[in-house]
């Protein structure tokens, strides 16, 4: 699979956006998914670049999370903003990555992302519970690069 548009069907994209919406109902954290063809740098470095390009570092509590996938390179990374990293352990995202990796290995791309989003939402809820007046600061739509 070398094209971003072949990675997920439209119906699968809709399910992922819904998973983000549901996960964010229980947390003030913000979750985004970004897909692009490939990366020439380490996926975590590219995730950080995209995180800033999407202005995810401008949330009030600095609690945005990006799930970055380079579809042709078959690499992915999860990156959380400063507000999250200040309060969680260094291996905070490893369990989420492990869940996703198993699905990706078996060609279940949508399920990898849905389970990753749900798990990230559960983790975020512990540190950043939803509160009255919380607004959705970032789009739930999947962003795409080249």
């Amino acid at each position: 699979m070398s094209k971003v548009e072949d990675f997920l069907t439209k119906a699968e994209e809709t399910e992922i956006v819904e998973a983000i919406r549901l996960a964010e109902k229980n947390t003030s954290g913000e979750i985004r998914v970004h897909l692009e063809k490939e990366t020439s740098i380490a996926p975590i470095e590219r995730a950080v670049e995209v995180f800033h390009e999407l202005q995810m570092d401008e949330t009030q509590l600095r609690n945005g999370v990006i799930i970055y996938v380079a579809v042709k390179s078959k690499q992915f990374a999860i990156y959380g903003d400063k507000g999250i990293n200040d309060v969680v352990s260094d291996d905070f995202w490893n369990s989420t990555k492990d869940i996703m990796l198993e699905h990706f290995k078996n060609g279940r791309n949508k399920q990898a992302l849905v389970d990753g989003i749900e798990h990230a939402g559960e983790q975020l809820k512990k540190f950043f519970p939803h509160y009255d007046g919380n607004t959705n600061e970032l789009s739930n739509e999947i962003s795409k690069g080249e």
Side-chain angles (χ1 to χ4, degrees), residues 69-118:
V69 182
V71 300
K72 184 177 180 186
S73 308
K74 295 186 176 178
Q75 296 177 304
F76 74 102
I78 303 171
Y79 175 74
D81 203 355
K82 182 180 183 344
I84 297 167
N85 293 333
D86 283 350
V87 297
V88 301
S89 63
D90 290 341
D91 63 347
F92 183 69
W93 296 114
N94 288 349
S95 58
T96 305
K97 285 170 35 180
D98 291 343
I99 290 167
M100 294 175 66
L101 184 59
E102 194 58 37
H103 287 304
F104 279 139
K105 282 182 180 176
N106 292 299
R108 297 187 301 265
N109 300 329
K110 179 212 63 161
Q111 201 58 52
L113 291 167
V114 167
D115 285 3
I117 291 161
E118 289 173 354

Side-chain angles (χ1 to χ4, degrees), residues 20-52:
I20 292 171
R21 188 189 71 75
L22 291 173
E24 289 181 354
K25 278 177 61 172
N26 298 312
T27 178
S28 62
E30 296 285 335
I31 302 169
R32 300 252 356 227
V33 172
H34 182 82
L35 306 176
E36 61 187 23
K37 186 174 178 181
E38 56 191 332
T39 180
S40 59
I41 60 175
I44 190 65
E45 290 177 30
R46 183 63 185 136
V48 172
E49 287 180 357
V50 172
F51 187 90
H52 292 290

